[in-house]
Amino acid sequence: MIQTEPRLLSALLLSLLVHTLTFAPNLLPAPGREPPPPPLQARLQAPPPAPEVVPLTLPEQPPGASPPPIKSRSAKTAPSPTAAGWQQEIRRQFSEQQRRGEFYPAEAIARGLQGEALVLLLLAPDGSVAAARIEQSSGHDLLDDAALRAVRALRALPADAPRETLLPVRFRLR
């Protein structure tokens, strides 16, 4: 008969126990473990309609020239913004910004920069600008920043103005 040493037998049993414990967590369900999430599902939908694109421009002027004066009207004779339409109201406010020297940056005029920035305009229900961002750059950061400043400065647009629109802001020199 084969005699085994007790130390060898105990080492063998200890080894079997350690190896069995490494596989035990996979064999028994862990308490408190959440079931796996369901598989992802996707559904195709038609894209939303494109926002309305409205071209707006200011009167062109030569580099360095001061903008032409805009005749002010009295409050009695000025048409209401709703009657003039939201596009005309934006043009009027841009012209007023130009008259104050806030629309076309002097540095851009001095450098001869021209371009058109496409701005996404979101309006709040009260007609104020809720948000604006550049959707397509004019190619010049100076003009893009000026376009955003001009759009964000718009105030009290008429109720018929769309709540979301793409607004081209053009900077042209003659």
Side-chain angles (χ1 to χ4, degrees):
M1 176 166 223
I2 300 177
Q3 278 191 345
T4 57
E5 282 199 36
R7 286 186 288 170
L8 183 59
L9 186 59
S10 63
L12 180 64
L13 289 175
L14 183 61
S15 175
L16 283 172
L17 179 65
V18 169
H19 283 88
T20 305
L21 289 177
T22 59
F23 293 108
N26 295 338
L27 298 175
L28 299 173
R33 188 179 274 186
E34 296 180 20
L40 293 177
Q41 295 182 0
R43 185 174 51 151
L44 293 177
Q45 293 181 331
E52 182 180 350
V53 177
V54 180
L56 293 175
T57 59
L58 279 182
E60 297 177 5
Q61 59 185 8
S66 61
I70 296 175
K71 296 178 183 176
S72 61
R73 299 179 185 182
S74 68
K76 294 178 184 174
T77 61
S80 70
T82 305
W86 66 274
Q87 295 171 350
Q88 287 80 11
E89 178 61 18
I90 290 175
R91 285 187 186 100
R92 185 194 68 73
Q93 289 189 34
F94 279 175
S95 294
E96 182 64 25
Q97 289 177 22
Q98 179 64 22
R99 187 187 65 73
R100 293 190 310 257
E102 298 170 355
F103 186 81
Y104 210 130
E107 182 182 349
I109 293 172
R111 291 171 47 190
L113 300 180
Q114 299 185 88
E116 177 179 307
L118 193 58
V119 179
L120 176 64
L121 172 65
L122 301 173
L123 294 178
D126 65 353
S128 64
V129 176
R133 74 170 183 234
I134 298 290
E135 286 294 307
Q136 184 176 358
S137 173
S138 66
H140 305 286
D141 290 339
L142 189 60
L143 295 181
D144 292 346
D145 293 342
L148 280 176
R149 272 194 312 275
V151 169
R152 289 176 178 155
L154 294 173
R155 299 286 179 252
L157 293 177
D160 66 338
R163 296 294 166 231
E164 179 178 325
T165 189
L166 287 173
L167 187 65
V169 181
R170 294 186 185 122
F171 295 92
R172 299 277 183 256
L173 299 171
R174 282 191 182 178

